Amino acid sequence: MTTMESLIGLVNRIQRACTVLGDYGGGTGDNAFNSLWEALPTVAVVGGQSSGKSSVLESIVGRDFLPRGSGIVTRRPLVLQLHKTEEGTEEYAEFLHLPKKQFTDFALVRKEIQDETDRITGKSKQISPVPIHLSIFSPNVVNLTLVDLPGLTKVAVEGQPETIVEDIESMVRTYVDKPNCIILAISPANQDIATSDAIKLAKEVDPTGERTFGVLTKLDLMDKGTNALEVLEGRSYRLQHPWVGIVNRSQADINRNADMMLARRKEREYFDTSPDYGHLASKMGSEYLAKLLSKHLESVIRSRIPSILSLINKSIEELERELDKMGRPVAVDAGAQLYTILEMCRAFDKVFKEHLDGGRPGGDRIYGVFDNQLPAALKKLPFDRHLSLQSVKRIVSEADGYQPHLIAPEQGYRRLIEGALGYFRGPAEASVDAVHFVLKELVRKSIAETQELKRFPSLQVELAAAAYTSLEKFREESKKSVIRLVEMESAYLTAEFFRKLPQEMERPVITNSKNQTAASPSPATQDQYGDGHFRRIASNVSAYVSMVSDTLRNTIPKACVYCQVRQAKLALLNYFYSQISKREGKQLGELLDEDPALMGRRLECAQRLELYKKARDEIDAVAWVR
């Protein structure tokens, strides 16, 4: 296989594979992917209506195979891939949309082009950017790829949308704008080159003319005494590549289906015998044009190989990253499905623990409950009201019953303390609820942040519900623990605390007239039912309650962390595991019901990845040829 055959044939194969996957250039592919089709050099055939575009293509192929008629005949891009075969082999054509069918009758090729156009556009005069791929295998062609685009027009005719002029130009521009596109600008010689639609457009997108090949058709139809040498010799409009003149078949030849090989010979004879163009005969005609384009296309492909490989490698990396993010397809057997579910649970559990341990934000909110919310709630407890003078008098009096206390109001103290300690239940339970709320929110965030779970909405719902059930159980245990802490403080008061309180002042001893000693009345006795006495009781109780508050401020967080946070780290998914173990294969499959759009996206990525890897291997196989 020669270098040219290797490179052009390689591009042809890659283009066909790209088209199957919806990447067919013209800016119409999936914008989420890099377009490999557009990175491949190709030749776009551009010309106005009745410029002789179809005749040039048929002359290059050597076959009469294109639809003809008035108005817009080419309504979809035609990607024409020519494959040179050995001499003596039979010519045939294949369409990409009919891969197993070979056409040896080229009249049927013309009909299929028309029918396939109508399948997409209907029988209206609408246009479509979706191309038709046609491969022709013949000993009479050179290896070449051409894209025949709809003819540029200036006005819409009956049956065409009003925007048809802009629509066609926009479609053509999407091809010729690309730096890898070689422009074959076709203009009729019997019209002023300054009015050529093809040259005007080519000049706009390729002002230096580096990518443009100019073709003059209908040289034989020019007025007698005139010629196109000013253009063909580059004096009228200069391009980087030489102009090529073409003599098309006459309408009479077309009508009687004159042999194309005979038409080629007549074309050569015209230039060989022409007094005007004889000195250019070796560089004129459709056969020379085909060889010129084939050689140039091969040269451009060779120069673009590094950039094509770079794009392919970059695309492979991006596709593999996206496939990793989306996850591989789910297995069908129950064991593999269970393994998949457990793997995703482990991934979720890892993210959840990172939130708690500080690897991700959120766990600090639990510390905020203990450091801010709990102390603030303890400070707001209504102890001032509970230990007001009036309240203390009432509670102590009720505790004494019908017999007032003799020295210290033991029962009054206990009732005052028990009543005060009861207020701690509120902040204790509120701390548990606050921690529960934070944990629940972290579960929600962790599920959302676990990439592996994004593809399975049903599993997300089940996992969240099971985790919330576990958190609810942890909350109940935590509430029992903190309430138990409060009740323990009420059940057994610290006597040592009261023993350390300042004792009553020692009463002085006095001697009476009979020289008998007696204790003077104690101020405490004198004030046993006075306000100062009850204030001292309130002060003592307040000090004890403050001590208990400091203790609970330290022990309530311990209980919450032990019963809720620690358990969430150790056993958050235990309930889920117990439930999942009871499910059968079909039920497991229901948890792994992916979004159909995601499944389609994965398949598309996998197919494109396979294409790019195969293209890379094929390019590597021929890239060494220089």
Side-chain angles (χ1 to χ4, degrees):
M1 182 180 286
T2 66
T3 306
M4 187 181 301
E5 290 170 339
S6 299
L7 294 179
I8 295 179
L10 168 63
V11 168
N12 287 346
R13 290 194 298 274
I14 297 175
Q15 283 181 333
R16 287 197 297 272
C18 287
T19 301
V20 171
L21 297 181
D23 175 13
Y24 40 77
T28 53
D30 187 344
N31 292 328
F33 296 107
N34 294 317
S35 175
L36 179 56
W37 205 104
E38 290 182 356
L40 301 172
T42 191
V43 181
V45 185
V46 182
Q49 289 186 29
S50 302
S51 62
K53 191 159 57 71
S54 295
S55 294
V56 170
L57 291 175
E58 289 182 330
S59 184
I60 288 175
V61 173
R63 280 289 188 173
D64 192 352
F65 69 98
L66 291 173
R68 293 182 179 274
S70 59
I72 302 174
V73 178
T74 304
R75 290 183 285 123
R76 290 174 59 184
L78 175 66
V79 179
L80 178 61
Q81 296 181 338
L82 306 181
H83 306 265
K84 184 173 181 59
T85 58
E86 295 182 2
E87 290 295 332
T89 56
E90 185 180 19
E91 293 178 296
Y92 67 93
E94 284 183 353
F95 288 94
L96 185 61
H97 62 275
L98 297 172
K100 296 181 180 180
K101 184 174 182 180
Q102 292 185 354
F103 291 79
T104 54
D105 184 346
F106 281 80
L108 295 179
V109 172
R110 180 190 304 112
K111 182 177 184 303
E112 182 59 30
I113 293 174
Q114 185 63 57
D115 291 345
E116 178 62 15
T117 298
D118 292 343
R119 288 187 192 108
I120 298 294
T121 65
K123 293 189 178 296
S124 64
K125 297 183 179 180
Q126 296 280 358
I127 62 172
S128 168
V130 181
I132 299 172
H133 259 260
L134 173 63
S135 295
I136 294 179
F137 301 81
S138 168
N140 302 315
V141 299
V142 295
N143 291 291
L144 183 61
T145 300
L146 300 162
V147 181
D148 183 23
L149 297 168
L152 298 166
T153 184
K154 290 184 171 62
V155 293
V157 299
E158 185 178 354
Q160 296 176 344
E162 295 181 359
T163 60
I164 191 69
V165 176
E166 294 79 9
D167 293 343
I168 292 176
E169 183 174 337
S170 176
M171 182 194 298
V172 173
R173 279 182 182 274
T174 57
Y175 281 88
V176 299
D177 270 340
K178 303 298 182 293
N180 292 312
C181 179
I182 300 165
I183 305 168
L184 188 62
I186 296 179
S187 305
N190 57 355
Q191 293 181 12
D192 187 352
I193 194 69
T195 65
S196 168
D197 296 320
I199 291 298
K200 178 176 177 293
L201 182 59
K203 188 175 182 180
E204 291 177 9
V205 299
D206 179 32
T208 62
E210 294 179 0
R211 297 189 288 117
T212 303
F213 282 81
V215 175
L216 272 187
T217 62
K218 304 182 181 181
L219 289 172
D220 55 329
L221 299 182
M222 295 185 71
D223 293 338
K224 289 184 178 181
T226 62
N227 60 51
L229 287 177
E230 288 286 319
V231 176
L232 292 176
E233 293 179 346
R235 297 193 299 273
S236 176
Y237 186 83
R238 180 175 294 277
L239 297 171
Q240 297 292 328
H241 305 286
W243 283 80
V244 178
I246 298 290
V247 174
N248 305 112
R249 286 185 299 162
S250 66
Q251 189 60 49
D253 288 340
I254 294 172
N255 293 339
R256 59 186 177 86
N257 293 321
D259 181 71
M260 292 295 297
M261 295 300 102
L262 177 62
R264 283 184 179 182
R265 287 196 297 271
K266 290 175 65 176
E267 183 185 43
R268 285 196 299 271
E269 292 172 2
Y270 173 84
F271 285 111
D272 288 338
T273 60
S274 171
D276 293 323
Y277 310 119
H279 64 294
L280 299 174
S282 63
K283 295 183 178 180
M284 295 288 120
S286 56
E287 287 184 276
Y288 171 77
L289 175 63
K291 293 175 182 178
L292 178 67
L293 290 174
S294 180
K295 183 178 180 180
H296 183 73
L297 179 60
E298 186 268 342
S299 174
V300 172
I301 291 173
R302 181 187 297 154
S303 68
R304 294 288 196 275
I305 281 178
S307 61
I308 294 171
L309 276 175
S310 177
L311 172 66
I312 289 175
N313 288 328
K314 178 184 176 184
S315 299
I316 287 174
E317 291 176 4
E318 292 175 351
L319 287 167
E320 287 180 335
R321 280 199 301 270
E322 185 162 357
L323 281 171
D324 288 339
K325 186 186 299 183
M326 290 188 293
R328 302 299 172 175
V330 179
V332 294
D333 62 287
Q337 290 176 343
L338 181 60
Y339 176 80
T340 300
I341 292 172
L342 295 179
E343 281 292 298
M344 286 186 283
C345 288
R346 280 189 279 271
F348 158 75
D349 196 47
K350 180 176 180 289
V351 173
F352 180 70
K353 288 175 180 175
E354 287 176 356
H355 277 294
L356 289 176
D357 294 334
R360 297 173 186 250
D364 56 310
R365 292 172 58 194
I366 295 176
Y367 175 72
V369 172
F370 305 143
D371 194 51
N372 299 313
Q373 292 178 237
L374 177 59
L378 293 175
K379 286 181 181 179
K380 292 180 181 179
L381 292 177
F383 293 132
D384 290 345
R385 185 174 71 249
H386 180 69
L387 297 177
S388 66
L389 184 61
Q390 182 180 357
S391 177
V392 171
K393 284 181 178 180
R394 177 180 58 79
I395 293 173
V396 170
S397 298
E398 291 175 353
D400 282 345
Y402 72 94
Q403 289 191 20
H405 60 272
L406 299 178
I407 300 176
E410 174 81 8
Q411 293 302 319
Y413 266 103
R414 289 189 178 278
R415 289 196 180 184
L416 283 169
I417 291 172
E418 289 174 0
L421 296 185
Y423 287 112
F424 286 117
R425 292 175 62 100
E429 292 182 333
S431 296
V432 172
D433 289 338
V435 171
H436 176 77
F437 177 81
V438 174
L439 291 173
K440 196 171 179 180
E441 181 65 15
L442 292 182
V443 166
R444 185 193 65 78
K445 288 184 66 177
S446 298
I447 288 176
E449 293 172 10
T450 304
Q451 292 296 330
E452 293 86 343
L453 282 172
K454 291 184 182 297
R455 22 186 316 213
F456 304 113
S458 295
L459 181 57
Q460 291 181 45
V461 172
E462 291 274 351
L463 191 60
Y468 294 158
T469 299
S470 295
L471 291 180
E472 194 64 46
K473 178 183 176 182
F474 303 154
R475 173 162 72 168
E476 291 175 4
E477 291 300 317
S478 187
K479 279 194 176 181
K480 290 178 183 177
S481 295
V482 297
I483 295 305
R484 190 175 292 118
L485 288 174
V486 174
E487 291 176 344
M488 285 191 296
E489 293 291 344
S490 301
Y492 184 80
L493 305 184
T494 306
E496 187 67 21
F497 176 86
F498 292 96
R499 290 171 185 163
K500 291 181 179 180
L501 289 175
Q503 301 298 311
E504 298 287 353
M505 294 178 59
E506 186 177 347
R507 289 172 289 176
V509 178
I510 59 173
T511 304
N512 58 17
S513 58
K514 297 180 180 181
N515 205 28
Q516 295 174 325
T517 60
S520 63
S522 147
T525 304
Q526 293 173 0
D527 192 29
Q528 186 172 4
Y529 295 102
D531 289 352
H533 175 62
F534 289 111
R535 286 194 183 94
R536 280 192 297 276
I537 293 174
S539 177
N540 292 340
V541 172
S542 178
Y544 185 81
V545 169
S546 179
M547 180 194 72
V548 173
S549 179
D550 289 341
T551 300
L552 292 176
R553 179 176 175 177
N554 293 323
T555 55
I556 287 174
K558 294 177 186 295
C560 291
V561 169
Y562 183 82
C563 295
Q564 292 175 271
V565 181
R566 178 176 173 275
Q567 284 299 104
K569 291 176 68 174
L570 293 175
L572 179 64
L573 296 181
N574 282 4
Y575 177 72
F576 178 78
Y577 293 147
S578 68
Q579 295 298 307
I580 206 71
S581 64
K582 302 173 185 177
R583 299 204 177 199
E584 298 179 354
K586 183 179 180 181
Q587 294 172 316
L588 290 175
E590 290 172 353
L591 286 180
L592 300 176
D593 59 336
E594 289 187 275
D595 182 351
L598 182 63
M599 295 173 66
R601 180 68 173 176
R602 184 194 296 111
L603 177 61
E604 187 179 3
C605 285
Q607 290 175 335
R608 193 162 292 223
L609 179 61
E610 183 182 359
L611 162 65
Y612 286 174
K613 287 183 175 180
K614 185 176 181 181
R616 181 179 62 184
D617 293 343
E618 290 202 41
I619 291 174
D620 286 341
V622 298
W624 60 270
V625 183
R626 291 289 184 269

